[in-house]
Amino acid sequence: MDESLRQQFVRTVQDFTAMTGIYLPDDVEKRLRELRQSESIENAKTMYDCMIEDLSLAKQLHRPLCQDTGVLQYFVEVGTEFPYLADIESVLVEAARKATLETPLRPNVVEPLGEHNTGDNTGYGAPYIEYDLVPGGSDLRLRMYMAGGGCSLPGRSKVLMPLEGVEGIKKFVYQTILDWGVNACPPLCVGIGLGTCAATSAMLSKKALLRPIGTRSQYPEVAKLEDEIQAGLDSLGIAPLGFGGSHTVLNVNIEAAAHHPATLGVGITTGCWATRRGEIIIHKDLTSEIISHKKALEV
Amino acid sequence: MKKVLTTPVTYEQIKDLKIGDTVYLTGMLATCRDSGHKRVVKEKVMPENFEFKDGAIIHAGPIVGKDENGKQYMVSIGPTTSRRMEAAEADFIEQTGIRVIIGKGGMLEKTTEACKKFGAIHCAYPGGCAVVAAQEVEELQGVEWMDLGMPEALWIMKVKEFGPLVVSIDTEGNNLFENNTKIFKERFDKLV
Ligand code: SF4
């Protein structure tokens, strides 16, 4: 690909990455403000106010709203007619490096089993990149997520006996959030995946986390479970930040797949009050459109 | 009125504080997290330009930037999960005489006992509110142990009314998050 076009491509992804660290996506900020409004406990209000002040200071000073800008994860959905298929990987890596050094984001990535920090958030398998091909399409739909440490800690995946059923799923989720929720900076976004094995359930739970707040599963039974688990978790009252209040979560999403009748795989992935995810569409002429942060970028 | 602790922090300053109280910190503060704790407790290495005794640390890994003149400044700093330091913190308190430990969430039994025995407190700063915190750093005075990387290095800061800090372990050995955990657990038991 032509070098100046390549630089344009890198710039777009770099800016998109920096933006994801500085602003919350519209749905998360909206929901956070709603929780603040509905909160009645004084101490809890103070904590929400501190978060909301943090959001405006981050915007104003153009700085990452949380110091833990995570490990950068990109989810690529690309049309087979997108002209720069072969360049995507190197562009994402370069954009991640530049966004880290120039925004700056925190260089988190350390080498496997070591303390040696690579200094720019790249390394083997970092940034994390996942691909989905869209036959015949010509756009690149790029989503990203900043996987912070604290909010990644509760993540787990387990295969239940099918007989444990919905009650088993609920208990596993409630127990996990009870044990690990406080340190993940609640109110949380909870993604739950239901599949056959531990691996696919975990992947589905990530997909669930990436789905915007306010969307519900297309399967009525699953959508009902989303509501029930959300209500159940809220009744624990862990948010904000484990100090205790009227909520625990910003949202619960479930992605369920058709599965083996002898297993009930359940994956859990959590995001914090500062769930930083972004979505951009990049067209084949490299013009682009931000989907996730329309409101955040208005001012 | 804001209750402000000033470094060096004496036992007198903290002995009447109770869990749930909100305080602020003025003076010197250093970041110290996983690898830093290992260095102090296991390798018995102390920083050259920071006094832990009667001092304050924060479990945090900041983002540090450089301004136009090449001077380093705090871009964003928020607390990291204190529970990760549980295995080392009691020894850290005993060996260093640290007085105020700031972090995210609570800590467990061993740290609680050490706080009671040696006269220290643990405070929770609202996790993630990193730009608010950075604005309360007046000056970045230095850094040690850069070989551990930016998040793990020991950053030495001069802070002004750093907070809100909610006392989570007091000198009598009360533990706010342990108490809350019991409440959450009771609600959980009703649910399942
Ligand atoms: S859990 Fe989220 S808000 Fe809290 S410190 Fe980690 S990344 Fe920041």
Side-chain angles (χ1 to χ4, degrees), chain A residues 65-70 106 146-152 183-186 188 241 271-276, chain B residues 78-81 104 126-130:
Chain A
L65 66 103
C66 173
Q67 82 291 341
D68 186 356
T69 49
R106 192 172 72 179
M146 293 186 168
C151 48
S152 297
N183 289 316
C185 292
L188 306 172
L241 306 163
C272 48
W273 72 262
T275 292
R276 284 145 299 162
Chain B
T80 191
T81 305
K104 184 172 100 179
C129 299

